[in-house]
Amino acid sequence: MSTLPGPESVGEPARARLDDVIHSPVRLTVVSALAGTDEAEFAAVRDAVEISDSQLSKAVAVLEQAGYVVVRKGYVGKRPRTWLRLSDEGRAALAAHLAALRTIAGL
């Protein structure tokens, strides 16, 4: 018979280390996609994460407000474009969130 892990691994202390901003599945996939690049065009992130423009806009608004994503707007020729990048704070938050998930999962 094996013993259950302690509360530091699966209880409130472990759950408290999860980042509520990143924990949403859509936001987690957005920051994970951005973690692999320096900067990405909005449409490329939308396509990679397989969500609608509206879903991505809402997720980015929350992530930007938290300081996790930086939004840059500009033009390519005469066409407006939006680029997204993960801030240093966003990278640190993602790393901490993933570490908390690993602890909870016992990995």
Side-chain angles (χ1 to χ4, degrees):
M1 181 165 143
S2 62
T3 60
L4 289 173
E8 66 282 347
S9 296
V10 293
E12 180 58 30
R15 287 191 306 273
R17 292 192 304 268
L18 294 173
D19 188 307
D20 289 336
V21 173
I22 293 177
H23 196 62
S24 152
V26 170
R27 292 190 297 263
L28 178 59
T29 55
V30 169
V31 296
S32 295
L34 290 173
T37 185
D38 291 332
E39 184 176 70
E41 192 173 335
F42 183 94
V45 176
R46 177 201 62 212
D47 294 346
V49 179
E50 297 182 320
I51 57 176
S52 68
D53 286 351
S54 175
Q55 287 176 301
L56 182 54
S57 291
K58 289 175 186 176
V60 167
V62 172
L63 293 165
E64 183 180 28
Q65 185 175 8
Y68 293 173
V69 169
V70 177
V71 177
R72 181 174 66 87
K73 295 187 178 277
Y75 287 86
V76 174
K78 293 183 180 183
R79 303 189 105 175
R81 293 285 188 261
T82 301
W83 293 271
L84 308 171
R85 73 173 174 84
L86 202 55
S87 68
D88 291 341
E89 294 83 8
R91 287 185 190 282
L94 176 60
H97 185 78
L98 293 176
L101 286 172
R102 281 188 208 93
T103 298
I104 292 168
L107 302 176

